[in-house]
Amino acid sequence: MIVVAFDAPVDEPAQVTGFELGHVSLRWDGGAHSSRQFGSRGLLMVYLAAADMLHGVATLLARRDDSYVFTGASSAWSFALRRTRRHGLHVSTPAGRLLCHTSEAEYAMAVWRGTERLLATRTPIDGGPLTDLRTAMAAFPDIYRR
C-alpha cells in the first residue's frame, strides 16, 4: 500500500495563500521517497504539487500507454510513474531506479487521500493555487472517488 503525504507548515494565525513551501512524501511497505531528502532544495509549493499529482493521475487513466513524471517546481525532487503489464505502476526515480510497484487504483487513492488531508489541515484563501487544486479535484475521475 502506498501513502502520499503533503506537509505545508504554516504558523497558525497566518492565512494560507496556497504558495506555502513544504514537502511531499511517498511511503510504502519497506520504503519511502521524500522531498525532505534534499533539505531546503527539496522544498516545493505543496498545494500546487497536489494539483499536479491529481492531474497526473487523470493523465495516466486517460492514456493507457502513458507515463507520468512529477517534478516539483523549483525543487530537486521528483519521481516517475510508468505502467507495466506485470506489476501495475512502476514508481521510480527519473533516472530509472525502482522505488516500488503499486496499482493504479492504490496510487490514485493515495494522491486523493493525501490531498484531502492537506485541505482538512489548512485550506488556502481563494486564489490561483486553490482554484488550480479545486479544478484538479473536479476533474479527478469519479471512479476513484470514495
Side-chain angles (χ1 to χ4, degrees):
M1 178 173 176
I2 192 164
V3 175
V4 174
F6 300 97
D7 177 25
V10 178
D11 294 332
E12 194 57 43
Q15 279 190 323
V16 179
T17 65
F19 294 104
E20 283 73 22
L21 295 175
H23 292 283
V24 176
S25 299
L26 305 175
R27 292 187 308 271
W28 58 90
D29 295 337
H33 184 60
S34 175
S35 64
R36 289 184 183 285
Q37 70 195 53
F38 289 103
S40 61
R41 288 182 336 138
L43 286 169
L44 45 90
M45 290 181 268
V46 293
Y47 291 93
L48 296 177
D52 188 12
M53 289 173 74
L54 286 167
H55 283 301
V57 168
T59 297
L60 282 170
L61 295 174
R63 300 182 191 127
R64 287 287 173 206
D65 59 343
D66 215 354
S67 61
Y68 167 74
V69 176
F70 172 84
T71 303
S74 302
S75 172
W77 185 75
S78 60
F79 64 92
L81 298 171
R82 183 175 49 84
R83 185 176 289 109
T84 67
R85 289 179 192 228
R86 297 182 71 194
H87 301 290
L89 288 181
H90 178 103
V91 183
S92 66
T93 64
R97 183 175 60 87
L98 177 65
L99 298 170
C100 73
H101 292 284
T102 188
S103 71
E104 290 179 41
E106 278 187 9
Y107 177 74
M109 287 311 302
V111 173
W112 181 261
R113 288 182 182 127
T115 302
E116 283 184 322
R117 284 190 299 274
L118 175 65
L119 289 174
T121 304
R122 300 289 299 276
T123 302
I125 58 173
D126 284 334
L130 182 57
T131 300
D132 288 350
L133 191 50
R134 284 185 174 149
T135 299
M137 292 178 85
F140 195 81
D142 286 342
I143 192 169
Y144 287 110
R145 289 189 191 194
R146 294 187 169 109

